[in-house]
């Protein structure tokens, strides 16, 4: 029993060492992102966190009222994006968020650099649906 416990402790220490100490420090955005896009991507990440938090908050609130857990739409007014889940909505901008369809949004983070997100009202998920190399910057 002690040998198993010792092996678990050694494995945990080795894993922590490899994850946090032994690897060279990399940018959190990955190696292929242009430096001029970093600010826009950090801003989008923050906004995505707030949007997803708002969806979760509404689901918890609705679970007590007997309504569908997730909002049908994230945006009620196309002039104020995500106004159904955010206290302070986001204004649409050609260099930022835009609504493509009732459940689809795009985020432009640079010239010709666009990420697409789709809201699923059944599951409450709001994932990036662009290709993997773009989506990795927003997760």
């Amino acid at each position: 029993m002690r040998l198993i416990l010792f092996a678990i402790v050694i494995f945990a220490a080795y894993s922590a060492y490899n994850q946090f100490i032994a690897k060279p420090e990399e940018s959190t955005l990955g190696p292929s992102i242009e430096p001029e896009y970093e600010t826009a991507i950090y801003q989008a990440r923050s906004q995505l966190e707030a949007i997803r938090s708002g969806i979760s908050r509404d689901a918890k609130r609705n679970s007590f009222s007997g309504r569908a857990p997730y909002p049908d739409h994230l945006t009620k007014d196309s002039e104020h994006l995500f106004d159904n889940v955010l206290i302070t909505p986001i204004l649409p901008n050609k260099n930022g968020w835009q609504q493509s369809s009732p459940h689809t949004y795009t985020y432009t983070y640079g010239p010709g650099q666009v990420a697409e997100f789709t809201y699923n009202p059944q599951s409450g998920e709001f994932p990036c649906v662009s290709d993997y190399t773009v989506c990795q910057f927003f997760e």
Side-chain angles (χ1 to χ4, degrees):
M1 181 66 176
R2 287 184 189 173
L3 184 58
I4 293 172
L5 183 58
F6 181 70
I8 292 171
V9 169
I10 295 297
F11 177 74
Y14 176 76
S15 296
Y17 173 79
N18 278 337
Q19 184 173 4
F20 299 110
I21 298 170
K23 290 184 179 177
E25 190 172 322
E26 296 178 358
S27 168
T28 58
L29 296 176
S32 63
I33 189 69
E34 300 291 329
E36 62 265 20
Y37 303 148
E38 285 184 3
T39 302
I41 291 173
Y42 283 135
Q43 179 180 3
R45 282 181 175 181
S46 175
Q47 291 167 337
L48 280 166
E49 188 174 319
I51 293 163
R52 290 171 178 156
S53 178
I55 294 168
S56 177
R57 181 193 65 234
D58 282 2
K60 288 175 186 173
R61 185 178 13 182
N62 291 343
S63 68
F64 294 112
S65 67
R67 294 185 298 183
Y70 301 106
D72 290 333
H73 299 282
L74 299 179
T75 300
K76 293 184 262 184
D77 173 16
S78 62
E79 300 284 321
H80 301 92
L81 301 179
F82 310 109
D83 59 345
N84 208 23
V85 293
L86 295 178
I87 294 169
T88 305
I90 299 170
L91 299 176
N93 187 333
K94 65 178 183 156
N95 293 317
W97 288 102
Q98 293 182 348
Q99 186 174 14
S100 310
S101 71
H103 295 297
T104 305
Y105 298 83
T106 58
Y107 184 79
T108 303
Y109 58 96
Q113 306 295 319
V114 178
E116 186 175 2
F117 298 84
T118 301
Y119 174 62
N120 181 337
Q122 283 75 37
S123 66
E125 294 177 346
F126 187 56
C128 177
V129 293
S130 295
D131 64 60
Y132 176 76
T133 57
V134 172
C135 289
Q136 72 179 351
F137 300 135
F138 298 94
E139 301 303 323

